[in-house]
Amino acid sequence: MARVRYGARTEAEIQAARTASSKLPDIWSTGVVAVWESDPDAVAAVLPPPLKPAERPLVRANISKVDLPGYPLGAGSVAVAAVHDGQEGWYPLVMPMTHERALIGGREVFGEPKKLGEVLVERDGLVVKASLARHGIAFVEVRGAVEGALPLPEPTQKTDFYFKFLPAVDGEGFDADPVLVHCVRNEKVRKLEKITGDVVLRESMYDPVADLPVRRVVEISIGEKTTDQKGKVAERVSAQALLPYIHQRYDDPQQILDGPPEGSV
């Protein structure tokens, strides 16, 4: 009988897949990073407990392209500075990706708020433009001119905070207590340049980052970097405390209750 592809994989096949994923070479991306000071109350309002605001009300937009052979990828995020149990890091609110494959692992394994979207990074000489868009709206745009090279930072670790959860089957809360994930990234940079420019936030009902206004641009840069990442569950969190924030994950919170029309399966 021909192999049934939906059938069970052998232990050897499972192990081979794990081994292959652990031996991936460094993948370098070209990206624009913009950091700005925003309204302290607005930043605090988007943080689910037990996350707390950092000392400065910073927001970071990360907009990158990865020239994978035959599989060019755009990836981005908008995150706010946060602290958990003394650990400083960033809490991403939205992470647009241009391909489904880049969504699946991050959402299902780490709880990343990834969504399909459009990611643009363009450079013409010294002029740079980068943007994140969904539903036809470029809700974040960074534009400016390269001013000059910056010193290369030493390899460093950065932490992102995610909430991993499953909405309940009956539509009431969650199937189990959500968990707070610390995702630690080891980052290496091989090129870094300063950009003089600005950050434009556009109104979007789906990605309302315009609620985090640009009070002062702290820095804008363009560079080439590679990262790996490893996640761990920091703690289980209160379902009732997280419930008011789960709309951050969806364009329409009602969609978590969507199912196939009766009689369609």
Side-chain angles (χ1 to χ4, degrees):
M1 180 181 70
R3 176 164 187 178
V4 179
R5 286 168 291 176
Y6 275 126
R9 297 286 176 91
T10 66
E11 181 61 33
E13 289 172 321
I14 294 171
Q15 187 58 45
R18 288 175 180 161
T19 301
S21 65
S22 68
K23 292 182 178 180
L24 289 175
D26 287 346
I27 298 173
W28 294 87
S29 64
T30 299
V32 171
V33 178
V35 178
W36 65 92
E37 284 188 352
S38 190
D39 180 84
D41 293 335
V43 170
V46 303
L47 292 171
L51 297 182
K52 296 180 180 180
E55 184 176 342
R56 297 174 68 189
L58 299 179
V59 184
R60 181 191 68 189
N62 206 323
I63 309 171
S64 301
K65 63 177 182 179
V66 189
D67 291 324
L68 298 174
Y71 193 77
L73 170 68
S77 70
V78 178
V80 298
V83 177
H84 174 246
D85 198 22
Q87 174 65 55
E88 296 183 353
W90 296 89
Y91 175 59
L93 294 166
V94 60
M95 300 177 70
M97 302 283 143
T98 56
H99 293 295
E100 183 182 23
R101 183 174 181 180
L103 265 68
I104 295 172
R107 283 182 67 99
E108 296 189 5
V109 177
F110 297 109
E112 294 174 333
K114 290 183 172 180
K115 300 177 180 179
L116 282 173
E118 299 169 27
V119 179
L120 173 72
V121 179
E122 291 183 337
R123 178 170 182 171
D124 183 5
L126 299 179
V127 178
V128 175
K129 178 180 177 182
S131 63
L132 300 175
R134 298 180 66 249
H135 301 288
I137 302 169
F139 58 89
V140 177
E141 183 177 302
V142 181
R143 56 198 184 190
V146 174
E147 186 176 308
L150 291 169
L152 295 182
E154 293 294 321
T156 186
Q157 282 193 341
K158 297 182 178 180
T159 301
D160 280 352
F161 305 120
Y162 306 119
F163 290 94
K164 183 177 179 180
F165 57 82
L166 282 175
V169 173
D170 62 7
E172 299 290 334
F174 305 102
D175 276 332
D177 287 340
V179 296
L180 172 60
V181 174
H182 285 198
C183 185
V184 178
R185 290 183 167 84
N186 295 296
E187 181 178 285
K188 293 186 292 185
V189 179
R190 68 182 182 187
K191 185 177 181 180
L192 192 63
E193 296 172 287
K194 180 180 179 180
I195 292 176
T196 300
D198 57 7
V199 179
V200 177
L201 306 180
R202 295 189 178 90
E203 174 57 33
S204 169
M205 63 180 290
Y206 303 104
D207 304 290
V209 298
D211 292 348
L212 301 167
V214 181
R215 295 283 187 249
R216 184 177 75 87
V217 174
V218 176
E219 61 181 8
I220 306 176
S221 63
I222 184 169
E224 297 177 7
K225 67 182 180 181
T226 184
T227 61
D228 60 29
Q229 65 184 46
K230 195 170 188 179
K232 69 174 183 178
V233 173
E235 65 172 274
R236 293 197 173 273
V237 300
S238 163
Q240 285 304 115
L242 183 61
L243 199 59
Y245 296 88
I246 66 168
H247 65 282
Q248 295 175 344
R249 190 68 56 86
Y250 307 100
D251 288 349
D252 177 4
Q254 287 297 112
Q255 74 186 71
I256 64 176
L257 303 178
D258 289 349
E262 192 170 335
S264 66
V265 289

